[in-house]
Amino acid sequence: MKKKERSPFFKILSALFLLFISLYIALESGYYEAKVSKKTAMTEESIQKFEEDIKNGNPIDVNSYVYEEHNDYSNNTTDAAIFIGSKVESFMSNGITEIFDIVKSLFT
């Protein structure tokens, strides 16, 4: 018996779906927020500068010691992916709930 091969359309669709799921999980898990928050930590140089300013009695301003670089990579594509993902999530959760309600009503 010969296996039925999938069409290239379904292969591409499957690859895009896996890519979407992986990006959605990365977004929801806070990977990007954690990566950005690491950049706001004080570096060794800023700690030394802070200690010198304290020794010299210079005025202290926290903003002069914190390294913060924020790159916003969001665009229409990522916004659309987040919107579609949230709609799929709500549809799936509501759909599963309704299926269980139907099954429950059959047995009660």
Side-chain angles (χ1 to χ4, degrees), residues 4-104:
K4 187 178 178 182
E5 281 194 38
R6 289 188 190 174
S7 68
F9 172 76
F10 286 112
K11 288 181 182 178
I12 293 171
L13 188 64
S14 299
L16 288 174
F17 180 73
L18 289 175
L19 179 65
F20 171 77
I21 292 298
S22 63
L23 290 174
Y24 186 74
I25 289 170
L27 176 72
E28 290 298 318
S29 68
Y31 171 76
Y32 293 111
E33 290 178 4
K35 194 172 180 182
V36 169
S37 68
K38 284 183 182 179
K39 291 183 179 181
T40 60
M42 293 178 73
T43 61
E44 186 67 34
E45 295 84 21
S46 62
I47 291 173
Q48 290 174 358
K49 182 180 174 189
F50 175 75
E51 290 173 350
E52 286 179 20
D53 286 347
I54 291 209
K55 286 179 187 174
N56 298 336
N58 295 338
I60 307 293
D61 183 20
V62 174
N63 294 328
S64 63
Y65 306 108
V66 177
Y67 171 74
E68 183 177 348
E69 182 181 319
H70 178 68
N71 296 327
D72 187 15
Y73 294 109
S74 64
N75 56 30
N76 292 338
T77 306
T78 56
D79 293 342
I82 292 169
F83 177 76
I84 291 170
S86 64
K87 292 299 177 185
V88 167
E89 179 184 6
S90 66
F91 174 75
M92 292 298 285
S93 62
N94 291 338
I96 291 172
T97 304
E98 289 178 16
I99 289 172
F100 281 129
D101 288 342
I102 291 170
V103 171
K104 185 172 73 174

